[in-house]
Amino acid sequence: MIRGILFDVDGVIFDSEEFIRQSYYDWYEKRHNIKITYEDLLPYTGTGEPTSINGLGRAFGLDYDLEEDKKGIYDCYARLIQGVLQPLPGVRKFIENAGKAGLRLALATSADRSKLNSSMKATGLGPENFDFIVSGDMVSKTKPDGSIYRYAAAGLVLPNEECLVIEDALSGHIAARRAGSHSLGLMTSFTADPQILAGADCVIKDLSEFPSFSTLEEFNAVWEKMCNDFRDASIVGKLIDRASGAIRNAYAPYSHFRVGAAVLTSNGRIYGGCNVENASYGATICAERGAAMAAIEAEGKTEFKAIAIVSESPEPAPPCALCRQFLAEFAGPDMQVYLISIKTGVFRHYNFGTLMPMVFELEEPGEKA
Ligand code: THU
């Protein structure tokens, strides 16, 4: 049950990206005499000013002062947005519905409080609409670290799994997943697929596409239906279809526990596998390793971005510890893991790091004395 919403701000509540980008262009030209481009800023979308300013400082070899640059950028921003900044489509209505439904609302922005205050002042969407506000100056680790969303959920006195993050940036979805929250993506800056692979459960154009609701139960029913419909039509649906095809050939005469798996590689290709048992039980190979073997055979060394695992148990089976270690050779902590029971339809979504927090890695010989 979702009881709280944790809103990212830039690209979700306000479309400040264009104005903040212009502020960077103006400030860097005025103060550092360089012309910053869209591409220069793209890697820092949603990460907050210290990360962007330090990144640009390094990239251009600048002699800069973080606080001075931050203030300069925010002053430009406050001037640029006067009378023109508006909340994004559907935001006011969504917040109004959420209030009626008794959802608790938090803002979690990587930017400083001063930028948020300027945006709130310019649009009239003030702090009275939210139960808790976390800004970038209150947390030491920026997104994709999960701490900002842990802090925001704690501020609402809710566990993260009862909170829905609304995000538009890839680093934000990763942060939401790492904190253990669900996440809804908006297409302000990215299309659907990259947001899914960063951890979004569902992606819509903007909040005007979110159906109306007036109670907590209604909100949760709407959200679940949105996720299910979206999943079926997305890359996740394709992955589940492949795993559901693979389970048909599962060879499990001893345990009768049939498993199908499908991995998505960074090349965008999907490979399937099923469990294959043996009269000498220990020789059995799990579905996940079967899918991984097929991917390596086809592509050589590759990276797994997502895996779907289907089984017939009422609660879908997670990968065994041996498979987790095997997959860790080709997958990072932010690989998406989807578990589905084809009997009950129960669906679970994790990031790999939650299932495999401590990977065994072989040190290079002689690396440690
Ligand atoms: N199995 C898998 O295919 N994947 C897992 O991660 C867990 C177990 C298979 C192996 C065996 O054929 C059956 O399930 C029962 O252990």
Side-chain angles (χ1 to χ4, degrees), residues 84-238:
V84 273
L85 187 72
Q86 284 296 324
L88 277 159
V91 167
R92 284 191 204 274
K93 185 79 195 154
F94 184 89
I95 290 175
E96 197 184 301
N97 287 341
K100 269 187 259 162
L103 280 159
R104 278 178 248 170
L105 308 182
L107 290 182
T109 176
S110 302
D112 271 30
R113 187 63 197 242
S114 62
K115 183 188 169 201
L116 180 61
N117 288 346
S118 307
S119 307
M120 286 183 151
K121 210 166 125 209
T123 56
L125 194 69
E128 67 280 3
N129 292 288
F130 303 95
D131 300 294
F132 193 68
I133 297 179
V134 194
S135 46
D137 46 312
M138 291 160 77
V139 286
S140 57
K141 286 188 177 170
T142 55
K143 299 172 191 175
D145 186 84
S147 46
I148 193 163
Y149 285 125
R150 284 194 204 98
Y151 197 153
L156 297 182
V157 202
L158 287 172
N160 270 99
E161 59 270 26
E162 291 184 11
C163 292
L164 170 64
V165 167
I166 308 188
E167 262 290 351
D168 71 314
L170 305 185
S171 58
H173 288 299
I174 296 173
R177 275 283 140 208
R178 288 186 185 174
S181 285
H182 308 267
S183 91
L184 167 65
L186 305 183
M187 285 193 250
T188 320
S189 328
F190 294 93
T191 55
D193 277 5
Q195 296 196 63
I196 294 169
L197 295 183
D201 295 288
C202 174
V203 183
I204 55 178
K205 188 167 162 284
D206 57 46
L207 280 174
S208 69
E209 283 187 9
F210 202 101
S212 230
F213 58 93
S214 53
T215 65
L216 206 55
E217 289 68 29
E218 226 182 306
F219 169 81
N220 277 276
V222 164
W223 168 241
E224 203 179 315
K225 183 170 181 330
M226 272 173 72
C227 285
N228 289 340
D229 292 350
F230 175 80
R231 192 183 305 138
D232 289 347
S234 74
I235 182 80
V236 184
K238 284 199 192 115

Side-chain angles (χ1 to χ4, degrees), residues 255 257 259 275 277 284 286-288 318-320:
S255 74
F257 195 96
V259 186
N275 56 332
E277 298 189 342
T284 291
C286 295
E288 297 87 330
C320 74

